[in-house]
Amino acid sequence: MFADTAKIIIKSGKGGNGHVSFRREKYVPDGGPDGGDGGKGGDVIFEVDTSMNTLNDYRHKRKFAAQPGEEGGKKNCHGKKGEDLVLKVPAGTVIKDAQTNLVIADMSGDNTRQTILKGGKGGLGNQHFATSTMQAPKYAQPGQEAIELEVRLELKVIADVGLVGFPNVGKSTFLSRVTNAQPKIANYHFTTLNPNLGVVDMGWGDGFVIADIPGLIEGASEGIGLGHEFLKHVQRCKILVHMVDAASVEGRDPIADIRAINKELMEFDPKLLEKPQVIAANKIDAFYEDENEVIETLRKEFEPEGYEVYPISAVSGAGLKELISTLKCMLDEMDDEPVIYEQEYFPELHVFENEAYTVVFDEEAQEYVVEGPKIEKMLGYTNIDSEKGFLFFQKFLREQGILKELEAAGITDGDTVRMYGLSFEYYK
């Protein structure tokens, strides 16, 4: 079965622990520390695979994890880096945080490979903690913890034009006539259960992509029928073509159908109604009388709202050339850039949520000590040695309320603050 959504759990690799060891050489009875650093954990990377067109690979397996980094070794040996996890997805896949439904990445356009979760940094070996007063440190830094995140994958087809309409109005027949697609066609409702894509060849290598969005029904925006499964595919399309049965072969009212579909589009995503819309009045070959009355009624109803009405027959081919030419002219006047969803959720900024920290004064060392998983992880993610990194760290301390707590504890300018391996003088 066609799969265009999946919910999975991804986990980056934990950083390897730093090692505690000391030189043991002949004639060197008091060798110094030589514990190596732990290896970095593997990243979780999403990559577009052009040979894929569904998310079936993620239907039966839900948990994916990158490799952890190895622990450091003796003689300053660095632990091996954990292997990255590369997850292949079809073009057009949107990755969202499952809890907030905010976009993490849109694997479309030029974005064919993106790191979603970074592996934890390896911990420092005990060689880094030797000082003039502590020449044989018996501790090392633990590797940074892995990040685990539940994400929702949504495949939104990439097409220029989307065909919308109730079941059995002729969308599949139209697609087979004007593109290279070969959809299954039969006189049954819901024959089309998957979005079908076809390329309209205008000659000289020029053309555009049309998507046949499976038949919508009233209540689709509320998830009735297969509504939610298909409405998301309309979101990337630049133009919407309403296909209606103008001959009312099955007794449907084409005006009521267009109003009903637009209502579902609006309730699913109001921005969909901002897209240009065209009406394809299909099945004119089935008219028993002059079609002008039906077409004129459609035009009187919708042209004041900016909708052009094109009478066509997907079976005989009547009116198809004019409709396709109009769609191509409309597209030529639009921006060539595909519809890309901007990133809204940044996992690395949320990894510290709900983690406590402590602020205490060490009377023996005369230092203020700030500790906790939140601080340790932040130090691991930030390059304090760079000006940009230090400013980012200052912002983090301010936003988390740590500076306020230090002030509440009585800190004054020139006092020393210690956070694990980092010490600095406080100045307001």
Side-chain angles (χ1 to χ4, degrees):
M1 181 180 174
F2 179 82
D4 55 5
T5 61
K7 192 179 284 188
I8 62 174
I9 296 171
I10 55 176
K11 185 177 182 179
S12 62
K14 178 186 180 301
N17 295 330
H19 191 69
V20 176
S21 62
F22 299 90
R23 290 173 59 194
R24 292 291 181 264
E25 299 177 24
K26 197 173 184 180
Y27 309 118
V28 187
D30 297 317
D34 68 352
D37 301 343
K40 177 183 176 296
D43 299 336
V44 178
I45 301 169
F46 279 79
E47 185 175 82
V48 170
D49 185 340
T50 55
S51 67
M52 296 176 65
N53 55 20
T54 77
L55 295 171
N56 279 333
D57 292 355
Y58 303 100
R59 274 294 177 93
H60 304 295
K61 183 179 178 182
R62 287 204 68 228
K63 294 188 176 181
F64 300 84
Q67 285 188 345
E70 289 186 355
E71 182 179 343
K74 300 178 180 179
K75 300 181 180 179
N76 301 327
C77 287
H78 199 290
K80 183 180 177 183
K81 178 185 181 298
E83 188 175 336
D84 294 336
L85 171 68
V86 180
L87 298 175
K88 302 292 183 72
V89 293
T93 300
V94 179
I95 304 161
K96 296 182 176 182
D97 172 58
Q99 298 298 318
T100 63
N101 208 38
L102 296 177
V103 174
I104 299 173
D106 185 352
M107 308 305 294
S108 304
D110 295 331
N111 189 30
T112 58
R113 184 180 172 93
Q114 183 170 334
T115 300
I116 303 300
L117 296 181
K118 293 181 180 179
K121 287 189 176 182
L124 299 176
N126 68 332
Q127 59 173 312
H128 294 279
F129 300 99
T131 65
S132 58
T133 57
M134 175 64 73
Q135 297 183 3
K138 295 182 180 180
Y139 57 87
Q141 188 182 39
Q144 199 175 53
E145 290 297 323
I147 305 174
E148 185 172 283
L149 185 67
E150 186 176 30
V151 297
R152 177 180 172 84
L153 308 181
E154 291 186 358
L155 175 58
K156 300 176 188 283
V157 299
I158 302 174
D160 300 301
V161 177
L163 289 177
V164 296
F166 277 80
N168 211 27
V169 294
K171 299 194 304 298
S172 296
T173 303
F174 173 80
L175 193 72
S176 68
R177 284 297 299 260
V178 302
T179 75
N180 56 1
Q182 296 181 331
K184 178 183 177 183
I185 300 171
N187 191 30
Y188 303 107
H189 287 184
F190 296 107
T191 300
T192 305
L193 293 179
N194 307 328
N196 288 312
L197 294 178
V199 178
V200 178
D201 185 3
M202 304 296 289
W204 302 284
D206 197 11
F208 57 92
V209 179
I210 295 182
D212 170 14
I213 310 300
L216 301 176
I217 61 175
E218 291 179 79
S221 59
E222 301 170 5
I224 296 176
L226 297 173
H228 271 157
E229 297 299 315
F230 300 139
L231 277 167
K232 61 179 161 293
H233 294 296
V234 185
Q235 292 178 304
R236 286 202 198 271
C237 300
K238 296 179 180 179
I239 301 173
L240 299 182
V241 175
H242 279 276
M243 186 157 289
V244 294
D245 177 2
S248 298
V249 172
E250 297 191 359
R252 301 199 63 89
D253 177 358
I255 293 177
D257 282 359
I258 294 171
R259 296 295 185 199
I261 293 294
N262 271 346
K263 179 175 180 290
E264 298 306 323
L265 295 177
M266 182 186 68
E267 292 183 355
F268 181 75
D269 182 355
K271 291 182 180 179
L272 292 177
L273 293 189
E274 298 174 9
K275 297 178 183 289
Q277 297 191 21
V278 171
I279 297 172
N282 192 25
K283 302 188 181 182
I284 59 173
D285 55 298
F287 281 170
Y288 293 107
E289 300 177 3
D290 182 23
E291 78 277 7
N292 289 335
E293 184 179 344
V294 178
I295 301 303
E296 283 305 312
T297 301
L298 284 168
R299 284 176 174 155
K300 286 180 181 178
E301 180 76 17
F302 293 104
E303 285 190 350
E305 299 176 27
Y307 299 5
E308 292 290 332
V309 178
Y310 291 87
I312 66 166
S313 170
V315 173
S316 70
L320 296 186
K321 186 175 180 180
E322 183 182 3
L323 173 58
I324 292 301
S325 297
T326 298
L327 294 175
K328 183 64 172 69
C329 290
M330 292 173 67
L331 289 169
D332 287 343
E333 294 175 359
M334 295 180 177
D335 190 343
D336 287 338
E337 292 297 317
V339 178
I340 304 293
Y341 294 89
E342 296 294 330
Q343 185 170 3
E344 303 169 318
Y345 186 92
F346 298 83
E348 63 272 16
L349 297 182
H350 293 268
V351 71
F352 311 115
E353 290 179 349
N354 303 320
E355 292 189 346
Y357 59 86
T358 58
V359 177
V360 297
F361 181 68
D362 184 343
E363 293 189 4
E364 183 177 345
Q366 288 295 296
E367 294 177 335
Y368 289 86
V369 182
V370 182
E371 291 183 332
K374 180 181 293 192
I375 307 300
E376 186 178 12
K377 287 181 180 180
M378 190 61 188
L379 286 171
Y381 273 103
T382 310
N383 180 12
I384 304 296
D385 295 331
S386 71
E387 181 181 359
K388 186 177 180 181
F390 189 74
L391 290 174
F392 182 74
F393 186 63
Q394 281 185 315
K395 180 182 178 183
F396 168 78
L397 296 179
R398 183 171 58 254
E399 291 180 347
Q400 297 297 318
I402 296 171
L403 294 182
K404 280 190 176 180
E405 291 211 24
L406 284 168
E407 292 169 1
I411 196 169
T412 58
D413 286 356
D415 288 346
T416 301
V417 179
R418 187 176 78 241
M419 299 180 183
Y420 294 95
L422 173 69
S423 293
F424 59 90
E425 291 185 351
Y426 170 84
Y427 288 98
K428 191 169 183 179

